[in-house]
Amino acid sequence: SNRFNERKDKMKIENLYPEKVFHYFSEISKIPRGSNKEKKISDWIVEFAKKRNLEVVQDKAFNVFIRKPATAGYEEYSPLILQGHMDMVWEKNKNTQFDFETQGIELVVEDGFLKAKGTTLGADNGIAVAYALAILDSDDLKHPELEIILTTDEEDGMSGVNNLDFGIFSGKTLINLDTEEYGQVYVSSAGGARIFNEFNFDAEKLEDDDTVISVDVKGLLGGHSGAEIHLGLGNSNKILADVLNHLNKKYTLSIMDIDGGEKTNAIPREAVALLAVKLEDEKVSDFEKLAKLAFENVTKDFKIIDKNPVIEVKEIKKEELKNQGKMSISNTNAVISFFHEFPNGVIAMSEDIKGLVETSINLGVIKTENKDGKINIKVQSLPRSSVNKSLEKLLNDVKELSEKYEVAVKINSPYPSWEYRKDSKIRDIVVNSFKKITGKKPEIKAIHAGLECGVFDNNMENVDIVSIGPNIYGAHTPEERMEIDSVGKTWELLLKAMED
């Protein structure tokens, strides 16, 4: 019966509309293609092109470029570039037995969606590859000369597109197929970087009049630092820093430990500080009262929407501390001021696109190591902007703040923004193609996260870009699912746009 069910699923997938697109999606799903592990899929695509006598180039980064001649009557038009990435994120449920390195993704058709069994589906961005292969394998479509570029490592650092030879293109018009909402035409995306800060101090020994107290901020929702930065979600690192800033005005504090957040691109939900406090003639309950008052004020000032933010203040017995030391008072002051002044959240909204965050930064991760008489604090933050100048300014602001407090700073893997163009022929064409098919106007959108479009925009003079795609939900998680109906609708839009 298992074999029969597998055959039934297979039959179903092969019979979905557009058949050719789903056939190729099914074929590439059999081939492991995690970020930085794309050689197999890249070689397979090269073979596919060679079998069809198409001009094909594979570079050192395993990016694949394929040229397809214009169909009759379309030879005079300038070439159109179609672009997507071949790598996918490998995530599975804890209880799923699955080896991504050797196994193909198991596809399941359910309630109008294509899903995977217990793993990510890889529709992000396997669907772009499937569209490209279906177009390359068809002789009955109308289009100008096509330059198809399928890149590697988009999910992990964009090393594929960053190592591309842009001289290979003749076209100046590009359709990227890596957005996830049918009926929306994307016209701009944010650039960004990773900022790393690091403090290193000698620890001092705890003294008899030190009371050790932990201050714990939790109960926050967290969220995506691009898509959800403007919603008013509390950042636990920033809230804790501002509470400490209030406490530091009244009490003599020394930080022993400060920790918050797990991922740079996630708004942190929890943060905790371990402090050595000179209470003098006050009690822990007095300290707690001020901490709670500060917490209420801070969460009010930040206008956070979280329903149940909590602060917990507890005394910690010194015996539990395994000889951990504390920072000097002056170093503590510097660390608290650094975090208090560190920019966070929305910096500016877009002037061109209503409701779009233009520039933001997320103070994502703080990690402390306190041992052998040394205290090391590592900080990671993620700035984003859809305007390159604004991103540059934000990076400079953080550099200046780092210099002010003598903290080491390093900026890694910066990628440029894809800036909004007031005049875009390809945008007008795609909008009109959509109107011809549906009788409605699509939404013009921008995304406050990175797309490869920014790298093309920065490396090719006057390139005109839009991004479209079918409905995909839960990408990067085992809940990822792609709406089958929208795959067909996006296919029709793509064919109409090529023809137009």
Side-chain angles (χ1 to χ4, degrees), residues 1-31 44 104-110 114-115 484:
S1 79
N2 270 357
R3 277 230 177 117
F4 172 73
N5 282 340
E6 269 174 36
R7 271 206 349 255
K8 203 173 71 179
D9 254 355
K10 186 93 187 86
M11 275 159 45
K12 273 203 279 186
I13 290 161
E14 296 291 341
N15 291 337
L16 299 173
Y17 172 78
E19 291 85 352
K20 209 168 252 195
V21 174
F22 281 103
H23 165 74
Y24 283 118
F25 189 85
S26 182
E27 287 300 297
I28 65 167
S29 296
K30 297 171 188 170
I31 306 163
W44 188 92
I105 303 297
E106 292 182 47
L107 303 177
V108 180
V109 176
E110 198 179 284
L114 187 62
K115 299 155 96 166
I484 289 160

Side-chain angles (χ1 to χ4, degrees), residues 318-325 370:
K318 287 183 189 170
E319 305 81 75
E320 292 172 20
L321 295 172
K322 302 187 186 89
N323 298 324
Q324 277 181 315
N370 180 339

Side-chain angles (χ1 to χ4, degrees), residues 72 132 328 367 454:
S328 70
K367 288 277 175 255

Side-chain angles (χ1 to χ4, degrees), residues 408-421:
V409 61
K410 194 167 82 183
I411 293 166
N412 269 15
S413 34
Y415 56 93
S417 66
W418 163 29
E419 295 193 7
Y420 175 76
R421 277 172 80 120

Side-chain angles (χ1 to χ4, degrees), residues 6 109 115 132 157 199 224 328 338 376 387 403 419 445 449 460:
E6 269 174 36
V109 176
K115 299 155 96 166
F199 292 95
H224 187 284
S328 70
F338 174 78
N376 167 273
V387 176
E403 280 162 24
E419 295 193 7
K445 297 274 293 248
M460 295 171 72

Side-chain angles (χ1 to χ4, degrees), residues 108-127:
V108 180
V109 176
E110 198 179 284
D111 305 329
F113 286 93
L114 187 62
K115 299 155 96 166
K117 207 168 154 188
T119 71
T120 33
L121 171 64
D124 176 12
N125 189 218
I127 192 59

Side-chain angles (χ1 to χ4, degrees), residues 6-258:
E6 269 174 36
R7 271 206 349 255
K8 203 173 71 179
D9 254 355
K10 186 93 187 86
M11 275 159 45
K12 273 203 279 186
I13 290 161
E14 296 291 341
N15 291 337
L16 299 173
Y17 172 78
E19 291 85 352
K20 209 168 252 195
V21 174
F22 281 103
H23 165 74
Y24 283 118
F25 189 85
S26 182
E27 287 300 297
I28 65 167
S29 296
K30 297 171 188 170
I31 306 163
R33 53 189 173 89
S35 303
N36 298 306
K37 300 198 168 143
E38 300 98 341
K39 187 178 185 318
K40 275 184 193 156
I41 184 73
S42 182
D43 289 348
W44 188 92
I45 295 167
V46 170
E47 274 312 299
F48 170 95
K50 282 182 178 167
K51 275 181 199 156
R52 286 156 186 79
N53 297 316
L54 295 163
E55 181 192 328
V56 59
V57 179
Q58 182 187 49
D59 66 16
K60 279 183 192 149
F62 298 117
N63 298 309
V64 179
F65 171 90
I66 303 169
R67 196 187 303 278
K68 185 175 192 195
T71 45
Y74 281 74
E75 300 88 349
E76 295 304 302
Y77 294 95
S78 65
L80 172 66
I81 305 165
L82 298 179
Q83 192 267 326
H85 63 89
M86 62 183 90
D87 62 315
M88 67 175 280
V89 171
W90 280 350
E91 285 287 338
K92 64 184 180 76
N93 287 324
K94 278 200 175 77
N95 52 0
T96 300
Q97 294 292 309
F98 192 84
D99 179 10
F100 282 107
E101 305 261 356
T102 58
Q103 285 175 262
I105 303 297
E106 292 182 47
L107 303 177
V108 180
V109 176
E110 198 179 284
D111 305 329
F113 286 93
L114 187 62
K115 299 155 96 166
K117 207 168 154 188
T119 71
T120 33
L121 171 64
D124 176 12
N125 189 218
I127 192 59
V129 181
Y131 282 139
L133 297 172
I135 289 166
L136 292 169
D137 196 31
S138 301
D139 295 323
D140 54 346
L141 308 176
K142 296 174 183 171
H143 57 75
E145 181 181 309
L146 296 176
E147 299 185 317
I148 287 175
I149 179 72
L150 301 169
T151 53
T152 54
D153 185 39
E154 189 270 352
E155 300 291 4
D156 199 38
M158 296 205 190
S159 64
V161 70
N162 281 320
N163 283 296
L164 205 53
D165 169 15
F166 291 91
I168 203 164
F169 299 104
S170 314
K172 288 283 187 195
T173 309
L174 188 150
I175 299 178
N176 163 281
L177 297 163
D178 191 22
T179 42
E180 297 167 3
E181 289 153 294
Y182 171 72
Q184 310 199 330
V185 177
Y186 278 82
V187 294
S188 167
S189 66
R194 292 279 199 279
I195 304 176
F196 297 90
N197 286 103
E198 190 170 343
F199 292 95
N200 282 294
F201 303 117
D202 289 327
E204 298 179 350
K205 285 200 161 67
L206 286 177
E207 295 162 306
D208 293 343
D209 63 341
D210 281 329
T211 304
V212 179
I213 300 174
S214 72
V215 180
D216 206 343
V217 171
K218 51 192 181 184
L220 297 162
L221 292 165
H224 187 284
S225 79
E228 296 169 313
I229 196 82
H230 60 297
L231 298 181
L233 298 158
N235 177 313
S236 57
N237 291 338
K238 197 64 184 158
I239 292 168
L240 178 63
D242 282 37
V243 168
L244 295 182
N245 190 54
H246 278 282
L247 291 166
N248 199 32
K249 287 173 184 163
K250 180 173 179 188
Y251 294 96
T252 303
L253 307 179
S254 295
I255 292 175
M256 298 175 67
D257 198 308
I258 182 163

